């Protein structure tokens, strides 16, 4: 599947959704949904604040650039260790720092599987089950 340079990036919020479901973490999604944890000032500043949002957006951009070089991870079952390690190190001081490289890998791969379908069909619906960490594109009819 060829998307061309940066085509489909407008659908990149699917990655933030994937991180929320698969890793239990997405300060970007929390901000977009106005679900920041304002009742705890430290959590609001550290976990949900601007620095955490910038880190997540940086990770998304890093992975997007890597995916573009590797056919958008189509048919890929394992990711480059360096990319995974970078994600883990960038978030080590945040609540998501407890997640393993394998969990990062699964969140990224599932996010890209859904993203490819959404881009191809110009939209779609995603099944998100945070309790069971299920994240999958279920409908491309919109």
């Amino acid at each position: 599947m060829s998307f061309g340079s940066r085509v489909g990036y407008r659908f990149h919020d699917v990655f933030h959704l994937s991180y929320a479901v698969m890793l239990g973490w997405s300060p970007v999604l929390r901000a977009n949904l106005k679900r920041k944890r304002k009742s705890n000032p430290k959590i609001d500043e550290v976990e949900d604040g601007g620095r955490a949002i910038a880190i997540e957006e940086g990770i998304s951009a890093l992975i997007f650039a890597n995916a573009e070089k590797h056919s958008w991870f189509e048919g890929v079952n394992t990711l480059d260790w360096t990319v995974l390690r970078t994600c883990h190190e960038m978030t080590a001081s945040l609540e998501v720092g407890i997640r393993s490289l394998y969990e990062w890998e699964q969140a990224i791969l599932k996010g890209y599987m859904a993203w490819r379908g959404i881009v191809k069909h110009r939209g779609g619906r995603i099944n998100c089950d945070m309790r069971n960490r299920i994240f999958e594109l279920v409908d491309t009819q919109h």
Side-chain angles (χ1 to χ4, degrees), residues 17-18 21 126-131 133-136 138:
L17 188 58
S18 173
V21 172
I126 297 172
N127 177 31
C128 299
D129 180 343
M130 292 182 78
R131 183 170 290 133
R133 293 190 186 168
I134 295 171
F135 183 85
E136 59 191 358
V138 294

Side-chain angles (χ1 to χ4, degrees), residues 1 12 55 66 69 73 86 88 113 115-116 133 142:
M1 178 182 295
H12 92 280
I55 289 170
N66 189 267
K69 295 176 188 171
F73 300 143
T86 299
H88 194 263
M113 186 179 299
W115 179 83
R116 289 190 308 270
R133 293 190 186 168
H142 55 283

Side-chain angles (χ1 to χ4, degrees), residues 89-137:
E89 288 175 359
M90 287 177 68
T91 60
S93 65
L94 301 171
E95 62 193 333
V96 72
I98 64 169
R99 299 297 179 203
S100 69
L101 299 183
Y102 175 77
E103 289 170 307
W104 271 102
E105 181 176 63
Q106 291 305 299
I108 293 165
L109 290 175
K110 287 183 183 283
Y112 272 88
M113 186 179 299
W115 179 83
R116 289 190 308 270
I118 288 170
V119 170
K120 180 178 179 183
H121 298 285
R122 303 262 187 238
R125 221 172 33 146
I126 297 172
N127 177 31
C128 299
D129 180 343
M130 292 182 78
R131 183 170 290 133
N132 296 305
R133 293 190 186 168
I134 295 171
F135 183 85
E136 59 191 358
L137 181 63

Side-chain angles (χ1 to χ4, degrees), residues 33-49:
L33 296 175
K34 299 190 184 330
R35 303 303 295 171
K36 292 175 69 172
R37 296 166 283 185
K38 297 258 184 216
S39 61
N40 184 325
K42 182 148 177 90
I43 288 177
D44 182 40
E45 179 185 348
V46 175
E47 300 293 346
D48 296 346

